[in-house]
Amino acid sequence: MSKIKYATPIVEMQGDEMTRILWDWIKEILIEPYVELNTEFYDLGLENREKTADQVTVDAANAIKKYHVGVKCATITPNAQRVEEYNLSKMWLSPNGTIRAILDGTVFRAPILVNGMRPYVPTWTKPITIARHAYGDIYKNSEMRVDGPATAELVVSYPDGRVDRQKIADFKGAGVLQGVHNLDASIGSFARSCFNYALSTAQSVWFATKDTISKTYDHRFKDIFAEIYENEYREKFEKAGISYDYTLIDDSVARIVRSNGGFIWALKNYDGDVMSDMVATAYGSLAMMTSVLVSPDGNYEYEAAHGTVTRHYYKHLKGEETSTNSVATIFAWSGALRQRGKSEDNSALIEFADRLEKATLDTISSGYMTKDLVGLFHLDGVTVYPQSSRSFLEKIAERL
Ligand code: NAP
Ligand code: MG
């Protein structure tokens, strides 16, 4: 059988611990027998980030800008304990944060649904994709404790000397105070990323804020989305048979619970943080959640939503058998291959991505799965056979 080829490299970012092991196995067992991989390889494993003073992360992000498609393995974000464990010269920043800052993207997270794993909300038969704005609001806030009676004001000083002031509150006693901000440019990028992703996946967009209460701040988000939609996207959306809707966040939550899924729920930074945990849990498992970073100028970076699964890695190092779920990492690869297939009109590559996903899901529905899914799975007449990390991949390969 001749292997499937494609022309433009995919940016491949290797990572850490258990997911680093799974990464090599997925390539060996499920991809390389069928696809002649053409990747530009960056080792984002913590040891190489240390060796290159984290330059490798910056280089990888710039390569994604050049080739427009990347696939990333989970990586360690160092904390004090990791600095000691890996003897690091510095507490390097989160690679995802670095890449996000360079690509100026929005993160879309979607659950992977499998026949036999029922979501806690029974009507959610299709995935709900959360698009979370990744800049500003309380994540870049300025907070103060007020320790007694005082007047608090907002003050904005422009370079030409103009000053705008507004009273926040007359404190009758001690209390707390917080300042937050956002930028038109960042909100605009967020809107374009959502609309582009909607077109590329043929799903409608629901955007929600609290503009009835926040009449300037949240209302600005609503206006920017509406303006960009009308001027740049309405026609394309109508042609694709999808829609854009704005609702107040309270109404949105009620509509989401009553819905069947199958759309993109665009949310401000905090709302997206909280609601993505709710949605992931309701669908069953973090190991069944994909994540893709999409930039407004059309760069795509695919990864799993979970981390490096440290506890399993230490078992693996001791020679013990592990049962780590590789589904989200397989879907990161299939997502990247499908996107490359689309960009080159390569139907063989697109079809391979579809077949790889179908073989993975059918393997689970026929009872072969890693241990994390065993308790969540029930299908009448199907016996469950728990698999090791590697034998699960081999079961998928038999079907593929
Ligand atoms: P984690 O790696 O997601 O694992 C937390 C726990 O969730 C695991 O111990 C395991 O539970 C379960 N789990 C997660 N993924 C699984 C999978 N694929 N198969 C089976 N079980 C899975 O999170 P963490 O332990 O908080 O973080 C570990 C490292 O990952 C940290 O250094 C962190 O910085 C990094 N991290 C990276 C990313 C990223 O690159 N995108 C994201 C998050 C965290 P049991 O132990 O009960 O089996
Ligand atoms: Mg969170």
Side-chain angles (χ1 to χ4, degrees), residues 121-308:
V121 181
T123 51
W124 287 3
T125 52
K126 287 176 271 179
I128 294 171
T129 301
I130 299 250
R132 172 185 170 188
H133 187 209
Y135 177 83
D137 302 348
I138 61 164
Y139 302 87
K140 263 197 179 312
N141 68 359
S142 180
E143 302 187 313
M144 263 185 212
R145 172 100 172 84
V146 176
D147 61 16
T151 301
E153 287 178 293
L154 285 176
V155 181
V156 178
S157 322
Y158 292 90
D160 65 4
R162 215 161 22 108
V163 175
D164 267 356
R165 280 175 187 280
Q166 211 181 97
K167 192 197 285 180
I168 298 170
D170 284 319
F171 281 79
K172 299 215 158 47
V176 284
L177 184 69
Q178 177 181 60
V180 297
H181 80 282
N182 223 298
L183 300 172
D184 283 6
S186 174
I187 301 166
S189 289
F190 174 46
R192 287 190 181 88
S193 295
C194 291
F195 294 143
N196 288 340
Y197 191 70
L199 287 168
S200 81
T201 59
Q203 298 184 89
S204 294
V205 176
W206 296 12
F207 181 45
T209 73
K210 190 74 176 174
D211 65 298
T212 47
I213 299 298
S214 175
K215 289 188 166 67
T216 302
Y217 196 107
D218 279 18
H219 210 283
R220 187 77 195 129
F221 281 75
K222 179 183 176 181
D223 287 346
I224 289 174
F225 265 70
E227 200 181 300
I228 291 176
Y229 178 69
E230 288 305 329
N231 295 339
E232 301 170 33
Y233 290 93
R234 179 182 278 283
E235 261 174 51
K236 293 180 201 159
F237 267 51
E238 283 169 358
K239 228 188 244 164
I242 56 175
S243 59
Y244 166 65
D245 277 302
Y246 175 85
T247 30
L248 186 63
I249 189 144
D250 321 35
D251 296 339
S252 188
V253 168
R255 283 176 59 186
I256 294 283
V257 172
R258 288 193 305 260
S259 79
N260 300 124
F263 49 81
I264 297 162
W265 195 14
L267 293 164
K268 287 176 62 198
N269 211 346
Y270 172 81
D271 301 335
D273 184 355
V274 176
M275 291 302 166
S276 67
D277 281 357
M278 183 195 71
V279 167
T281 308
Y283 277 106
S285 164
L286 193 62
M288 297 292 283
M289 194 89 180
T290 58
S291 183
V292 54
L293 174 71
V294 182
S295 72
D297 47 350
N299 301 308
Y300 292 76
E301 186 225 78
Y302 295 83
E303 62 168 347
H306 60 77
T308 58

Side-chain angles (χ1 to χ4, degrees), residues 349-366:
L349 194 57
I350 295 172
E351 196 182 316
F352 175 76
D354 294 345
R355 280 172 190 267
L356 175 57
E357 291 180 359
K358 184 168 185 325
T360 303
L361 300 181
D362 288 350
T363 299
I364 298 173
S365 321
S366 59

Side-chain angles (χ1 to χ4, degrees), residues 90-112:
K90 209 174 141 182
M91 199 185 291
W92 304 108
L93 296 174
S94 148
N96 290 333
T98 302
I99 294 168
R100 210 173 296 155
I102 291 172
L103 295 180
D104 179 26
T106 299
V107 176
F108 296 86
R109 288 196 158 185
I112 300 162

